[in-house]
Amino acid sequence: MTTTVTAGRAGRPVGELLREWRDRRRISQLDLAISAEISTRHLSFVETGRSKPSRDMVLRLGEHLEVPLRERNQLLLAAGYAPAYPESGLGDPEMAAVRKAVRQLMTSHEPYPAAVVDRGWNLVDANASVSIMTDLVSPTLMTPPANVLRLTLHPEGMAPYVLNLGEWRAHLLGRLRRQVTQTADPTLTELLEELLAYPCDDPVPEVEVPGPGDIFVPLRLRHEGVDLTFFSTVSTFGTPLDITVAELVIESFFPADTATAEYLRSYAGRGMG
């Protein structure tokens, strides 16, 4: 097991970082003070650097501001305290139960695709059925760490085979924008800028407006001349105290119609490519 020990952003004081997170969450000092059960005066002194918060106070404010675990460690470091949340490797012995749970979820999802990604959208693991998507991708994009957003939207990736590319692109970029807002991660900001530069001839809606009968944003994919339609669900761990566990996301794809389900069963029966 390792522990995250990266310093606070550019050595900035903890009060400044807390104020930035509060502004990012659009929470007033009064509202944060009430929810964290401290005085507005004390919170103001912490934010301006006139008062040094205790370790427990930093953790409490980080929790009420819904700061991700990785960034809560940065807040602690900026305040002069040791990080509280470990960052384990997936191969570490103590992660055996996590690995087993993830593998069980993906295996039980066959013959439908399922993949596990980390916070940066890098592919961590996948079941065999994901090959129905990755077989469409240039091998150069599959070099580890393969990024699933890049695999999907790059012109040498799945993009030429996505029939509703504009709609699916808007959906994925919207998720990434929300993640950038949630985490303030500069690496994710760079990824967003890269993806925005990819060409897309299909109109990209600025707002996801459902059409008649729509209840989700579908992924419409052409595979070997057959049009397939999927919807997806996202699973995360409910009570993580480890950074790696907190940042794992399992995305499971389901057939949105009978024809897609039958094709996936047939695809699995012939060895999944």
Side-chain angles (χ1 to χ4, degrees):
M1 176 184 294
T2 58
T3 301
T4 301
V5 293
T6 52
R9 291 178 217 161
R12 294 163 59 192
V14 64
E16 184 178 322
L17 294 176
L18 286 167
R19 184 171 65 250
E20 182 180 277
W21 280 108
R22 182 173 60 76
D23 290 342
R24 184 177 290 274
R25 299 291 184 256
R26 294 183 172 87
I27 299 175
S28 69
Q29 270 192 352
L30 176 60
D31 288 340
L32 178 58
I34 291 173
S35 66
E37 299 181 344
I38 62 174
S39 71
T40 306
R41 178 184 176 87
H42 187 189
L43 178 59
S44 176
F45 279 17
V46 168
E47 289 189 350
T48 58
R50 295 179 64 184
S51 177
K52 178 181 177 179
S54 68
R55 182 178 185 274
D56 287 345
M57 178 63 67
V58 174
L59 290 172
R60 188 192 312 175
L61 292 173
E63 180 179 359
H64 284 278
L65 287 169
E66 298 182 353
V67 177
L69 301 190
R70 185 179 297 275
E71 281 69 31
R72 291 188 205 181
N73 276 352
Q74 292 181 354
L75 291 175
L76 287 167
L77 285 165
Y81 303 110
Y85 302 98
E87 183 176 8
S88 305
L90 272 178
D92 292 351
E94 60 267 32
M95 296 287 278
V98 172
R99 293 194 303 272
K100 182 178 179 180
V102 169
R103 176 47 54 182
Q104 182 176 345
L105 280 172
M106 290 193 298
T107 301
S108 65
H109 195 63
E110 301 282 8
Y112 309 146
V116 184
V117 299
D118 62 18
R119 168 161 134 165
W121 294 77
N122 297 308
L123 187 63
V124 174
D125 199 358
N127 66 8
S129 294
V130 161
S131 63
I132 202 168
M133 299 175 176
T134 57
D135 284 351
L136 304 173
V137 172
S138 168
T140 58
L141 294 175
M142 292 299 298
T143 302
N147 185 281
V148 298
L149 293 183
R150 196 174 288 122
L151 296 179
T152 304
L153 300 179
H154 194 282
E156 294 183 6
M158 288 169 50
Y161 306 93
V162 178
L163 302 177
N164 60 331
L165 181 59
E167 183 180 38
W168 192 247
R169 173 187 170 104
H171 167 66
L172 292 182
L173 294 183
R175 285 174 61 180
L176 182 55
R177 285 191 184 95
R178 290 189 289 273
Q179 189 180 4
V180 168
T181 299
Q182 174 70 22
T183 64
D185 188 333
T187 302
L188 293 176
T189 301
E190 291 176 5
L191 177 61
L192 177 60
E193 292 172 353
E194 175 190 335
L195 299 175
L196 285 169
Y198 289 172
C200 181
D201 295 331
D202 201 31
V204 179
E206 294 185 6
V207 179
E208 294 175 3
V209 179
D214 287 346
I215 57 174
F216 50 76
V217 178
L219 169 61
R220 306 187 192 280
L221 186 68
R222 179 163 293 163
H223 185 270
E224 297 182 355
V226 179
D227 294 353
L228 309 174
T229 305
F230 299 89
F231 67 91
S232 68
T233 64
V234 171
S235 303
T236 59
F237 286 84
T239 54
L241 293 175
D242 180 279
I243 292 173
T244 299
V245 177
E247 295 177 351
L248 286 180
V249 173
I250 305 169
E251 184 141 14
S252 304
F253 290 86
F254 293 83
D257 53 47
T258 301
T260 300
E262 291 177 350
Y263 184 87
L264 291 171
R265 286 192 289 270
S266 172
Y267 179 76
R270 56 190 170 98
M272 300 177 182

